[in-house]
Short mmCIF file of all heavy atoms in Angstrom, two decimals:
data_model
loop_
_atom_site.label_atom_id
_atom_site.label_comp_id
_atom_site.label_asym_id
_atom_site.label_seq_id
_atom_site.Cartn_x
_atom_site.Cartn_y
_atom_site.Cartn_z
N SER B 89 -6.60 12.68 -15.13
CA SER B 89 -5.53 13.62 -15.40
C SER B 89 -4.42 12.87 -16.13
O SER B 89 -3.87 11.91 -15.59
CB SER B 89 -4.99 14.23 -14.11
OG SER B 89 -3.86 15.05 -14.37
N VAL B 90 -4.14 13.30 -17.36
CA VAL B 90 -3.06 12.71 -18.15
C VAL B 90 -2.32 13.81 -18.88
O VAL B 90 -2.86 14.90 -19.06
CB VAL B 90 -3.57 11.67 -19.17
CG1 VAL B 90 -4.26 10.51 -18.47
CG2 VAL B 90 -4.51 12.32 -20.18
N SER B 91 -1.14 13.50 -19.34
CA SER B 91 -0.34 14.49 -20.05
C SER B 91 -0.65 14.53 -21.54
O SER B 91 -0.35 15.48 -22.21
CB SER B 91 1.15 14.23 -19.84
OG SER B 91 1.46 12.91 -20.23
N GLY B 92 -1.24 13.51 -22.06
CA GLY B 92 -1.57 13.46 -23.48
C GLY B 92 -3.02 13.08 -23.67
O GLY B 92 -3.87 13.37 -22.84
N ASN B 93 -3.32 12.45 -24.79
CA ASN B 93 -4.69 12.00 -25.03
C ASN B 93 -4.97 10.73 -24.24
O ASN B 93 -4.17 9.81 -24.22
CB ASN B 93 -4.90 11.71 -26.52
CG ASN B 93 -4.86 12.98 -27.34
OD1 ASN B 93 -5.36 14.01 -26.90
ND2 ASN B 93 -4.26 12.92 -28.50
N PRO B 94 -6.12 10.67 -23.59
CA PRO B 94 -6.41 9.50 -22.76
C PRO B 94 -7.17 8.41 -23.50
O PRO B 94 -7.96 8.70 -24.40
CB PRO B 94 -7.31 10.10 -21.68
CG PRO B 94 -8.09 11.14 -22.41
CD PRO B 94 -7.17 11.70 -23.47
N TYR B 95 -6.88 7.19 -23.14
CA TYR B 95 -7.78 6.08 -23.45
C TYR B 95 -8.44 5.70 -22.13
O TYR B 95 -7.74 5.45 -21.15
CB TYR B 95 -7.01 4.88 -24.01
CG TYR B 95 -6.47 5.08 -25.41
CD1 TYR B 95 -5.53 4.22 -25.93
CD2 TYR B 95 -6.91 6.12 -26.23
CE1 TYR B 95 -5.02 4.37 -27.22
CE2 TYR B 95 -6.42 6.28 -27.51
CZ TYR B 95 -5.47 5.41 -27.99
OH TYR B 95 -4.98 5.56 -29.26
N LEU B 96 -9.76 5.65 -22.10
CA LEU B 96 -10.49 5.50 -20.85
C LEU B 96 -11.31 4.23 -20.85
O LEU B 96 -11.90 3.86 -21.88
CB LEU B 96 -11.40 6.72 -20.65
CG LEU B 96 -10.64 8.03 -20.43
CD1 LEU B 96 -11.48 9.21 -20.86
CD2 LEU B 96 -10.24 8.15 -18.97
N PHE B 97 -11.37 3.60 -19.70
CA PHE B 97 -12.04 2.30 -19.57
C PHE B 97 -12.92 2.29 -18.31
O PHE B 97 -12.61 2.96 -17.32
CB PHE B 97 -11.00 1.17 -19.42
CG PHE B 97 -10.07 1.02 -20.58
CD1 PHE B 97 -8.99 1.88 -20.74
CD2 PHE B 97 -10.25 0.01 -21.51
CE1 PHE B 97 -8.11 1.74 -21.81
CE2 PHE B 97 -9.37 -0.14 -22.58
CZ PHE B 97 -8.31 0.73 -22.73
N TRP B 98 -13.98 1.51 -18.38
CA TRP B 98 -14.76 1.18 -17.19
C TRP B 98 -14.80 -0.34 -17.04
O TRP B 98 -15.05 -1.07 -18.02
CB TRP B 98 -16.20 1.70 -17.29
CG TRP B 98 -16.37 3.11 -16.85
CD1 TRP B 98 -16.50 4.22 -17.63
CD2 TRP B 98 -16.45 3.59 -15.49
NE1 TRP B 98 -16.65 5.34 -16.86
CE2 TRP B 98 -16.62 4.99 -15.54
CE3 TRP B 98 -16.40 2.96 -14.23
CZ2 TRP B 98 -16.73 5.77 -14.40
CZ3 TRP B 98 -16.51 3.74 -13.10
CH2 TRP B 98 -16.68 5.12 -13.19
N TYR B 99 -14.56 -0.76 -15.79
CA TYR B 99 -14.64 -2.17 -15.44
C TYR B 99 -15.62 -2.32 -14.28
O TYR B 99 -15.78 -1.41 -13.45
CB TYR B 99 -13.29 -2.73 -15.01
CG TYR B 99 -12.32 -2.98 -16.14
CD1 TYR B 99 -11.52 -1.96 -16.63
CD2 TYR B 99 -12.20 -4.26 -16.69
CE1 TYR B 99 -10.62 -2.20 -17.66
CE2 TYR B 99 -11.30 -4.51 -17.72
CZ TYR B 99 -10.52 -3.48 -18.20
OH TYR B 99 -9.63 -3.72 -19.21
N VAL B 100 -16.24 -3.51 -14.17
CA VAL B 100 -17.13 -3.81 -13.05
C VAL B 100 -16.62 -5.06 -12.35
O VAL B 100 -16.10 -5.98 -13.00
CB VAL B 100 -18.59 -4.01 -13.53
CG1 VAL B 100 -18.71 -5.13 -14.55
CG2 VAL B 100 -19.53 -4.26 -12.34
N GLN B 101 -16.74 -5.06 -11.04
CA GLN B 101 -16.31 -6.22 -10.25
C GLN B 101 -17.47 -6.68 -9.37
O GLN B 101 -17.89 -5.94 -8.47
CB GLN B 101 -15.09 -5.89 -9.39
CG GLN B 101 -14.54 -7.07 -8.61
CD GLN B 101 -13.35 -6.70 -7.77
OE1 GLN B 101 -13.22 -5.57 -7.32
NE2 GLN B 101 -12.47 -7.66 -7.55
N TYR B 102 -17.95 -7.89 -9.61
CA TYR B 102 -18.96 -8.48 -8.77
C TYR B 102 -18.28 -9.19 -7.60
O TYR B 102 -17.10 -9.54 -7.69
CB TYR B 102 -19.84 -9.44 -9.58
CG TYR B 102 -20.60 -8.73 -10.67
CD1 TYR B 102 -20.18 -8.78 -11.99
CD2 TYR B 102 -21.72 -7.96 -10.38
CE1 TYR B 102 -20.85 -8.10 -13.00
CE2 TYR B 102 -22.41 -7.28 -11.38
CZ TYR B 102 -21.95 -7.36 -12.68
OH TYR B 102 -22.62 -6.67 -13.67
N PRO B 103 -18.98 -9.42 -6.51
CA PRO B 103 -18.36 -10.01 -5.31
C PRO B 103 -17.58 -11.28 -5.61
O PRO B 103 -18.08 -12.18 -6.30
CB PRO B 103 -19.56 -10.28 -4.40
CG PRO B 103 -20.56 -9.25 -4.79
CD PRO B 103 -20.40 -9.09 -6.28
N ASN B 104 -16.35 -11.31 -5.12
CA ASN B 104 -15.48 -12.49 -5.25
C ASN B 104 -15.22 -12.87 -6.71
O ASN B 104 -14.99 -14.04 -7.02
CB ASN B 104 -16.07 -13.69 -4.50
CG ASN B 104 -16.24 -13.40 -3.02
OD1 ASN B 104 -15.34 -12.86 -2.39
ND2 ASN B 104 -17.41 -13.71 -2.49
N ARG B 105 -15.25 -11.88 -7.57
CA ARG B 105 -14.98 -12.13 -8.99
C ARG B 105 -13.89 -11.18 -9.47
O ARG B 105 -13.56 -10.18 -8.83
CB ARG B 105 -16.24 -11.91 -9.82
CG ARG B 105 -17.43 -12.75 -9.41
CD ARG B 105 -17.28 -14.19 -9.84
NE ARG B 105 -17.28 -14.33 -11.29
CZ ARG B 105 -18.38 -14.41 -12.02
NH1 ARG B 105 -19.57 -14.35 -11.46
NH2 ARG B 105 -18.28 -14.56 -13.33
N GLY B 106 -13.34 -11.48 -10.64
CA GLY B 106 -12.39 -10.57 -11.26
C GLY B 106 -13.10 -9.40 -11.91
O GLY B 106 -14.32 -9.29 -11.86
N LEU B 107 -12.32 -8.53 -12.52
CA LEU B 107 -12.89 -7.36 -13.18
C LEU B 107 -13.40 -7.75 -14.57
O LEU B 107 -12.73 -8.48 -15.30
CB LEU B 107 -11.84 -6.26 -13.32
CG LEU B 107 -11.64 -5.36 -12.12
CD1 LEU B 107 -10.98 -6.11 -10.99
CD2 LEU B 107 -10.83 -4.13 -12.50
N GLN B 108 -14.57 -7.22 -14.91
CA GLN B 108 -15.13 -7.45 -16.23
C GLN B 108 -15.16 -6.13 -16.99
O GLN B 108 -15.58 -5.11 -16.44
CB GLN B 108 -16.54 -8.01 -16.13
CG GLN B 108 -16.63 -9.37 -15.49
CD GLN B 108 -18.06 -9.86 -15.41
OE1 GLN B 108 -18.89 -9.51 -16.24
NE2 GLN B 108 -18.35 -10.69 -14.43
N PHE B 109 -14.76 -6.17 -18.22
CA PHE B 109 -14.74 -4.99 -19.07
C PHE B 109 -16.15 -4.55 -19.41
O PHE B 109 -17.00 -5.38 -19.77
CB PHE B 109 -13.97 -5.32 -20.35
CG PHE B 109 -14.07 -4.30 -21.43
CD1 PHE B 109 -13.39 -3.10 -21.33
CD2 PHE B 109 -14.85 -4.53 -22.55
CE1 PHE B 109 -13.48 -2.16 -22.34
CE2 PHE B 109 -14.94 -3.61 -23.56
CZ PHE B 109 -14.26 -2.41 -23.45
N LEU B 110 -16.42 -3.25 -19.28
CA LEU B 110 -17.73 -2.70 -19.64
C LEU B 110 -17.69 -1.93 -20.95
O LEU B 110 -18.51 -2.15 -21.84
CB LEU B 110 -18.23 -1.75 -18.54
CG LEU B 110 -18.94 -2.35 -17.34
CD1 LEU B 110 -19.35 -1.23 -16.39
CD2 LEU B 110 -20.15 -3.16 -17.76
N LEU B 111 -16.76 -0.97 -21.03
CA LEU B 111 -16.67 -0.13 -22.22
C LEU B 111 -15.36 0.64 -22.20
O LEU B 111 -14.68 0.71 -21.19
CB LEU B 111 -17.87 0.83 -22.31
CG LEU B 111 -18.19 1.68 -21.09
CD1 LEU B 111 -17.31 2.91 -20.98
CD2 LEU B 111 -19.65 2.11 -21.11
N LYS B 112 -15.07 1.23 -23.36
CA LYS B 112 -13.86 2.06 -23.45
C LYS B 112 -14.06 3.19 -24.44
O LYS B 112 -14.85 3.08 -25.39
CB LYS B 112 -12.65 1.21 -23.86
CG LYS B 112 -12.73 0.59 -25.25
CD LYS B 112 -11.51 -0.28 -25.51
CE LYS B 112 -11.59 -0.96 -26.88
NZ LYS B 112 -10.44 -1.89 -27.10
N TYR B 113 -13.33 4.27 -24.19
CA TYR B 113 -13.28 5.40 -25.12
C TYR B 113 -11.87 5.47 -25.69
O TYR B 113 -10.89 5.56 -24.94
CB TYR B 113 -13.62 6.72 -24.43
CG TYR B 113 -13.35 7.90 -25.32
CD1 TYR B 113 -14.28 8.29 -26.29
CD2 TYR B 113 -12.15 8.61 -25.23
CE1 TYR B 113 -14.02 9.36 -27.13
CE2 TYR B 113 -11.90 9.68 -26.08
CZ TYR B 113 -12.83 10.05 -27.02
OH TYR B 113 -12.57 11.09 -27.86
N ILE B 114 -11.80 5.45 -27.02
CA ILE B 114 -10.51 5.59 -27.68
C ILE B 114 -10.47 6.90 -28.46
O ILE B 114 -9.60 7.73 -28.25
CB ILE B 114 -10.24 4.40 -28.62
CG1 ILE B 114 -10.35 3.07 -27.85
CG2 ILE B 114 -8.88 4.54 -29.29
CD1 ILE B 114 -9.40 2.95 -26.70
N THR B 115 -11.42 7.07 -29.32
CA THR B 115 -11.54 8.29 -30.11
C THR B 115 -12.93 8.32 -30.72
O THR B 115 -13.67 7.34 -30.65
CB THR B 115 -10.46 8.34 -31.21
OG1 THR B 115 -10.50 9.62 -31.84
CG2 THR B 115 -10.69 7.27 -32.24
N GLY B 116 -13.30 9.47 -31.30
CA GLY B 116 -14.57 9.53 -32.00
C GLY B 116 -15.70 10.04 -31.14
O GLY B 116 -15.54 10.97 -30.35
N ASP B 117 -16.86 9.43 -31.27
CA ASP B 117 -18.06 9.86 -30.57
C ASP B 117 -17.84 9.90 -29.06
O ASP B 117 -17.33 8.93 -28.48
CB ASP B 117 -19.22 8.91 -30.90
CG ASP B 117 -20.57 9.48 -30.51
OD1 ASP B 117 -20.61 10.48 -29.78
OD2 ASP B 117 -21.59 8.92 -30.95
N ASN B 118 -18.24 11.01 -28.46
CA ASN B 118 -18.01 11.17 -27.01
C ASN B 118 -18.90 10.26 -26.16
O ASN B 118 -18.62 10.05 -24.99
CB ASN B 118 -18.22 12.62 -26.61
CG ASN B 118 -17.11 13.52 -27.13
OD1 ASN B 118 -16.05 13.05 -27.52
ND2 ASN B 118 -17.36 14.81 -27.13
N LEU B 119 -19.98 9.77 -26.73
CA LEU B 119 -20.87 8.86 -26.00
C LEU B 119 -20.55 7.43 -26.42
O LEU B 119 -20.70 7.06 -27.58
CB LEU B 119 -22.33 9.19 -26.29
CG LEU B 119 -23.35 8.38 -25.48
CD1 LEU B 119 -23.21 8.69 -23.99
CD2 LEU B 119 -24.77 8.68 -25.96
N VAL B 120 -20.11 6.66 -25.46
CA VAL B 120 -19.70 5.29 -25.72
C VAL B 120 -20.72 4.34 -25.11
O VAL B 120 -21.07 4.48 -23.94
CB VAL B 120 -18.31 5.01 -25.12
CG1 VAL B 120 -17.90 3.57 -25.39
CG2 VAL B 120 -17.29 5.98 -25.65
N LYS B 121 -21.15 3.37 -25.88
CA LYS B 121 -22.09 2.37 -25.37
C LYS B 121 -21.35 1.08 -25.09
O LYS B 121 -20.45 0.68 -25.84
CB LYS B 121 -23.22 2.15 -26.36
CG LYS B 121 -24.11 3.38 -26.53
CD LYS B 121 -25.33 3.09 -27.36
CE LYS B 121 -26.16 4.34 -27.59
NZ LYS B 121 -26.70 4.86 -26.30
N GLY B 122 -21.73 0.42 -23.98
CA GLY B 122 -21.04 -0.79 -23.60
C GLY B 122 -21.98 -1.91 -23.22
O GLY B 122 -23.13 -1.94 -23.63
N SER B 123 -21.46 -2.81 -22.40
CA SER B 123 -22.20 -4.01 -22.01
C SER B 123 -23.29 -3.68 -21.00
O SER B 123 -23.21 -2.68 -20.28
CB SER B 123 -21.25 -5.04 -21.41
OG SER B 123 -20.17 -5.31 -22.27
N TYR B 124 -24.31 -4.54 -20.95
CA TYR B 124 -25.37 -4.52 -19.94
C TYR B 124 -26.14 -3.19 -19.91
O TYR B 124 -26.68 -2.81 -18.87
CB TYR B 124 -24.79 -4.80 -18.54
CG TYR B 124 -23.88 -5.99 -18.50
CD1 TYR B 124 -22.56 -5.86 -18.07
CD2 TYR B 124 -24.30 -7.25 -18.91
CE1 TYR B 124 -21.70 -6.95 -18.04
CE2 TYR B 124 -23.45 -8.34 -18.88
CZ TYR B 124 -22.15 -8.18 -18.45
OH TYR B 124 -21.31 -9.26 -18.42
N GLY B 125 -26.19 -2.46 -21.03
CA GLY B 125 -26.94 -1.22 -21.10
C GLY B 125 -26.23 0.00 -20.57
O GLY B 125 -26.82 1.08 -20.49
N PHE B 126 -24.96 -0.15 -20.19
CA PHE B 126 -24.20 0.99 -19.69
C PHE B 126 -23.65 1.84 -20.84
O PHE B 126 -23.40 1.34 -21.93
CB PHE B 126 -23.03 0.51 -18.83
CG PHE B 126 -23.44 0.08 -17.45
CD1 PHE B 126 -23.73 -1.25 -17.19
CD2 PHE B 126 -23.54 1.00 -16.43
CE1 PHE B 126 -24.12 -1.66 -15.93
CE2 PHE B 126 -23.92 0.61 -15.15
CZ PHE B 126 -24.22 -0.73 -14.90
N GLU B 127 -23.48 3.10 -20.55
CA GLU B 127 -22.83 4.02 -21.47
C GLU B 127 -22.00 5.02 -20.67
O GLU B 127 -22.18 5.15 -19.45
CB GLU B 127 -23.86 4.75 -22.33
CG GLU B 127 -24.87 5.54 -21.56
CD GLU B 127 -26.01 6.06 -22.45
OE1 GLU B 127 -26.30 5.46 -23.49
OE2 GLU B 127 -26.59 7.09 -22.06
N ALA B 128 -21.09 5.67 -21.35
CA ALA B 128 -20.25 6.66 -20.68
C ALA B 128 -20.03 7.82 -21.62
O ALA B 128 -19.93 7.66 -22.84
CB ALA B 128 -18.91 6.05 -20.26
N GLU B 129 -19.93 9.00 -21.03
CA GLU B 129 -19.74 10.21 -21.82
C GLU B 129 -18.37 10.81 -21.55
O GLU B 129 -18.05 11.15 -20.40
CB GLU B 129 -20.82 11.23 -21.50
CG GLU B 129 -20.77 12.46 -22.40
CD GLU B 129 -21.99 13.34 -22.27
OE1 GLU B 129 -22.80 13.11 -21.34
OE2 GLU B 129 -22.15 14.25 -23.10
N PHE B 130 -17.60 10.93 -22.59
CA PHE B 130 -16.27 11.54 -22.51
C PHE B 130 -16.42 13.05 -22.66
O PHE B 130 -17.01 13.54 -23.62
CB PHE B 130 -15.36 10.99 -23.60
CG PHE B 130 -14.04 11.70 -23.72
CD1 PHE B 130 -13.11 11.62 -22.71
CD2 PHE B 130 -13.73 12.43 -24.87
CE1 PHE B 130 -11.88 12.26 -22.82
CE2 PHE B 130 -12.51 13.07 -24.99
CZ PHE B 130 -11.58 12.99 -23.96
N ASN B 131 -15.87 13.80 -21.71
CA ASN B 131 -15.91 15.25 -21.75
C ASN B 131 -14.49 15.76 -21.57
O ASN B 131 -13.95 15.78 -20.46
CB ASN B 131 -16.83 15.80 -20.66
CG ASN B 131 -17.05 17.30 -20.79
OD1 ASN B 131 -16.11 18.06 -21.06
ND2 ASN B 131 -18.29 17.73 -20.64
N LYS B 132 -13.89 16.20 -22.69
CA LYS B 132 -12.48 16.58 -22.65
C LYS B 132 -12.26 17.85 -21.83
O LYS B 132 -11.29 17.95 -21.07
CB LYS B 132 -11.95 16.78 -24.06
CG LYS B 132 -10.44 16.98 -24.12
CD LYS B 132 -9.93 16.98 -25.55
CE LYS B 132 -8.41 17.08 -25.58
NZ LYS B 132 -7.88 17.01 -26.97
N SER B 133 -13.17 18.80 -21.94
CA SER B 133 -12.98 20.07 -21.23
C SER B 133 -13.08 19.90 -19.72
O SER B 133 -12.41 20.59 -18.96
CB SER B 133 -14.00 21.11 -21.71
OG SER B 133 -15.32 20.68 -21.41
N GLN B 134 -13.91 18.95 -19.29
CA GLN B 134 -14.05 18.69 -17.86
C GLN B 134 -13.20 17.50 -17.41
O GLN B 134 -13.25 17.13 -16.23
CB GLN B 134 -15.53 18.44 -17.52
CG GLN B 134 -16.42 19.66 -17.78
CD GLN B 134 -17.85 19.43 -17.32
OE1 GLN B 134 -18.18 18.39 -16.75
NE2 GLN B 134 -18.70 20.40 -17.58
N THR B 135 -12.45 16.93 -18.31
CA THR B 135 -11.63 15.73 -18.05
C THR B 135 -12.42 14.70 -17.27
O THR B 135 -11.98 14.20 -16.22
CB THR B 135 -10.30 16.08 -17.33
OG1 THR B 135 -10.59 16.66 -16.05
CG2 THR B 135 -9.47 17.02 -18.15
N SER B 136 -13.61 14.39 -17.78
CA SER B 136 -14.47 13.43 -17.09
C SER B 136 -14.89 12.31 -18.02
O SER B 136 -14.89 12.46 -19.26
CB SER B 136 -15.70 14.13 -16.52
OG SER B 136 -16.53 14.61 -17.56
N PHE B 137 -15.28 11.21 -17.42
CA PHE B 137 -15.74 10.03 -18.17
C PHE B 137 -16.74 9.31 -17.28
O PHE B 137 -16.50 8.22 -16.80
CB PHE B 137 -14.56 9.14 -18.53
CG PHE B 137 -14.88 8.03 -19.49
CD1 PHE B 137 -15.46 8.30 -20.73
CD2 PHE B 137 -14.58 6.71 -19.19
CE1 PHE B 137 -15.75 7.27 -21.62
CE2 PHE B 137 -14.85 5.67 -20.08
CZ PHE B 137 -15.44 5.96 -21.29
N HIS B 138 -17.91 9.92 -17.09
CA HIS B 138 -18.92 9.39 -16.18
C HIS B 138 -19.67 8.21 -16.80
O HIS B 138 -20.04 8.25 -17.98
CB HIS B 138 -19.92 10.48 -15.80
CG HIS B 138 -19.30 11.67 -15.13
ND1 HIS B 138 -18.15 11.58 -14.37
CD2 HIS B 138 -19.69 12.97 -15.09
CE1 HIS B 138 -17.84 12.78 -13.90
NE2 HIS B 138 -18.75 13.65 -14.33
N LEU B 139 -19.91 7.22 -15.97
CA LEU B 139 -20.65 6.02 -16.38
C LEU B 139 -22.13 6.24 -16.08
O LEU B 139 -22.48 6.71 -14.99
CB LEU B 139 -20.13 4.81 -15.61
CG LEU B 139 -20.76 3.46 -15.93
CD1 LEU B 139 -20.35 2.99 -17.33
CD2 LEU B 139 -20.34 2.42 -14.89
#
Side-chain angles (χ1 to χ4, degrees):
Chain B
S89 174
V90 298
S91 55
N93 292 321
Y95 289 166
L96 294 154
F97 299 78
W98 275 102
Y99 284 85
V100 59
Q101 184 181 29
Y102 297 101
N104 301 314
R105 303 285 295 275
L107 276 70
Q108 296 180 28
F109 169 74
L110 276 180
L111 51 81
K112 64 182 177 184
Y113 171 82
I114 304 301
T115 187
D117 195 347
N118 289 344
L119 185 64
V120 180
K121 294 188 183 296
S123 306
Y124 312 122
F126 283 93
E127 59 189 26
E129 186 169 10
F130 172 66
N131 188 317
K132 189 172 184 177
S133 63
Q134 296 185 3
T135 62
S136 67
F137 189 55
H138 301 331
L139 181 70

